[in-house]
Amino acid sequence: MVVELTLEQARRIAVRAQALEAKRPAGVLDAIDRLTFVKVDPVSAVAPSADVVLWSRLGEAYDPADVTAGLEVDRTLFELDLMVRPMDDLRLFRPMMRRWPKHERTRNWIEANDAFRRDILVRLNGSGPLPATEIPDTAAVPWSSTGWTNDRNVTIMLECLMMRGDLAMSARRDGQRLWDLAERVYPEVPELEASDAYVQRNERRLASLGILRERKAGGSPAEPIDTRGIGEPAHVEGLRGTWRVDPGALEHVDEPLAERTALLSPLDRLVFDRKRLEELFGYEYVLEMYKPRDQRRWGYWAMPILHGDRLIGKVDATADRAAGMLRVDAIHEDEPFTRDLVEAVFEELDSLAGWLGLEVGGRAVGLA
């Protein structure tokens, strides 16, 4: 049976799945468990994107040190391929690690550098955890690339061994990853068949987004989601084609949303899939940090504004730490703001600034 959903119901499902209701998650682990991951990204116009994602869910109670403790002390979190995940999900990735890599070129390069691979394992066994800068490059065959990875043999081999499950990121120091043997970082986890792990990964990913189109590789390239045959099939009012909905989300589909206003990272999962974003929310967004300044409509790292189940505008803000200011240069209204909306947006800006230890300022503050 195909579920019939209104656009409003579909939006509510998406917002709830991303933990953006008024009732906030219990803490960092609860938030990441519901999101399934937060992506590590070096851009820090306001703060690192992963921190903004978690602040959007947890508010000023969020402390980045809690992520560090989860990764390095409690081991309730792990980082794989620049994504921080709950350790309970490691069992879903172990079968994939055993089959990695799927590309022949990478497989051949690892085989050609088997002595190099063993050198790294021996060194880390005796001296780990270590950063890449303290591991000698003994590659017999260099890694060839037209990009920044060309001849970055140590980094490429470390990442290959991470993806194979031989190594793990143990900690970060001064922005560098420290590498160690996986057996010293990861706990023992139940063995799953690859097919079972594949289905469960996709079910977890669908639950984290609530609703997705039915297709083989939705989501993002780094986190593809095969929605075929999982969840419940659905039609969304005014949209063609079949969608898939997390069954748990349907239990609350008619309940009003506990609304709040939230400022989102441009890399937030709610907005990252731009086609889904436009279909469900009627919202246009482009990350403009790579555009020349005079070609930007909204700003370098404009933050989408969520109010209830609607995306209503963008905030062009940057953290000017030298001046002690969260500089708000523009607030773009996708729909006319009421006085209450203006106040709600500035309450969030005040909260963000307070969390950053800054004061709100800039050209747009007069809108308040």
Side-chain angles (χ1 to χ4, degrees), residues 211-229:
I211 180 168
L212 277 174
R213 279 204 172 276
E214 184 177 63
R215 53 184 172 176
K216 182 178 181 180
S220 64
E223 188 81 350
I225 306 174
D226 184 352
T227 50
R228 299 171 301 173

Side-chain angles (χ1 to χ4, degrees), residues 301-319:
W301 206 73
M303 300 177 71
I305 305 169
L306 175 72
H307 180 74
D309 67 358
R310 303 183 340 268
L311 286 153
I312 60 172
K314 294 100 177 164
V315 170
D316 179 13
T318 52

Side-chain angles (χ1 to χ4, degrees), residues 206-250:
L206 176 60
S208 75
L209 292 170
I211 180 168
L212 277 174
R213 279 204 172 276
E214 184 177 63
R215 53 184 172 176
K216 182 178 181 180
S220 64
E223 188 81 350
I225 306 174
D226 184 352
T227 50
R228 299 171 301 173
I230 64 169
E232 298 292 338
H235 290 155
V236 179
E237 171 192 21
L239 301 180
R240 286 186 284 182
T242 301
W243 295 70
R244 287 280 170 171
V245 184
D246 171 48
L250 293 173

Side-chain angles (χ1 to χ4, degrees), residues 109 111-117 119 137-143 153 157:
W109 184 79
E111 291 174 357
N113 284 295
D114 190 60
F116 177 33
R117 177 189 66 82
D119 286 347
D137 182 354
T138 61
V141 179
W143 179 263
N153 302 314
M157 184 60 83

Side-chain angles (χ1 to χ4, degrees), residues 37-340:
F37 75 89
V38 290
K39 183 168 176 56
V40 178
D41 188 274
V43 177
S44 188
V46 170
S49 179
D51 288 332
V52 175
V53 167
L54 291 169
W55 167 81
S56 294
R57 275 71 183 177
L58 298 168
E60 292 181 60
Y62 168 59
D63 186 347
D66 292 339
V67 176
T68 301
L71 287 167
E72 301 179 16
V73 181
D74 306 328
R75 301 296 192 196
T76 55
L77 303 170
F78 72 104
E79 183 181 319
L80 178 68
D81 199 20
L82 298 178
M83 287 181 269
V84 177
R85 303 179 182 277
M87 189 65 82
D88 284 350
D89 280 358
L90 177 63
R91 63 191 179 86
L92 305 181
F93 290 87
R94 276 304 205 183
M96 188 172 70
M97 292 173 177
R98 292 194 296 266
R99 299 155 67 96
W100 199 92
K102 61 182 179 180
H103 297 297
E104 185 178 4
R105 177 185 179 235
T106 305
R107 189 163 54 248
N108 290 342
W109 184 79
I110 295 171
E111 291 174 357
N113 284 295
D114 190 60
F116 177 33
R117 177 189 66 82
R118 286 185 278 109
D119 286 347
I120 290 175
L121 294 176
V122 168
R123 180 170 292 271
L124 289 177
N125 183 53
S127 306
L130 294 173
T133 51
E134 294 184 24
I135 297 175
D137 182 354
T138 61
V141 179
W143 179 263
S144 176
S145 167
T146 57
W148 71 272
T149 60
N150 187 60
D151 207 26
R152 298 286 295 271
N153 302 314
V154 172
T155 296
I156 295 299
M157 184 60 83
L158 288 169
E159 291 183 347
C160 286
L161 295 177
M162 169 187 65
M163 297 305 295
R164 283 177 24 147
D166 298 326
L167 299 183
M169 198 211 77
S170 176
R172 284 183 181 267
R173 294 292 179 270
D174 301 322
Q176 290 195 81
R177 290 176 288 181
L178 301 188
W179 300 90
D180 205 350
L181 301 181
E183 65 202 51
R184 297 203 290 231
V185 177
Y186 295 154
E188 292 290 329
V189 296
E191 290 285 330
L192 293 180
E193 293 292 331
S195 57
D196 293 336
Y198 181 77
V199 171
Q200 290 183 44
R201 281 199 308 274
N202 285 304
E203 288 174 340
R204 284 271 291 141
R205 291 168 179 175
L206 176 60
S208 75
L209 292 170
I211 180 168
L212 277 174
R213 279 204 172 276
E214 184 177 63
R215 53 184 172 176
K216 182 178 181 180
S220 64
E223 188 81 350
I225 306 174
D226 184 352
T227 50
R228 299 171 301 173
I230 64 169
E232 298 292 338
H235 290 155
V236 179
E237 171 192 21
L239 301 180
R240 286 186 284 182
T242 301
W243 295 70
R244 287 280 170 171
V245 184
D246 171 48
L250 293 173
E251 296 175 12
H252 310 285
V253 70
D254 292 321
E255 295 177 14
L257 201 66
E259 293 187 345
R260 71 179 181 92
T261 302
L263 303 180
L264 306 180
S265 162
L267 305 182
D268 197 287
R269 302 278 307 293
L270 187 72
V271 300
F272 192 79
D273 184 336
R274 308 299 191 220
K275 183 176 180 182
R276 174 178 179 264
L277 182 65
E278 194 164 339
E279 288 182 309
L280 294 183
F281 292 88
Y283 184 76
E284 183 185 2
Y285 186 82
V286 176
L287 180 57
E288 297 179 317
M289 59 186 286
Y290 302 110
K291 289 187 175 184
R293 184 185 296 271
D294 61 357
Q295 294 180 22
R296 295 174 190 155
R297 297 166 58 191
W298 304 307
Y300 175 82
W301 206 73
M303 300 177 71
I305 305 169
L306 175 72
H307 180 74
D309 67 358
R310 303 183 340 268
L311 286 153
I312 60 172
K314 294 100 177 164
V315 170
D316 179 13
T318 52
D320 185 344
R321 290 175 175 80
M325 182 186 299
L326 177 63
R327 193 177 300 282
V328 183
D329 289 326
I331 297 178
H332 304 279
E333 301 178 25
D334 284 30
E335 58 181 67
F337 284 12
T338 63
R339 173 56 58 181
D340 287 346

Side-chain angles (χ1 to χ4, degrees), residues 19-41:
L20 286 164
E21 279 193 286
K23 183 179 179 182
R24 297 180 184 269
V28 162
L29 181 58
D30 183 32
I32 295 177
D33 184 57
R34 290 170 67 177
L35 300 176
T36 69
F37 75 89
V38 290
K39 183 168 176 56
V40 178
D41 188 274

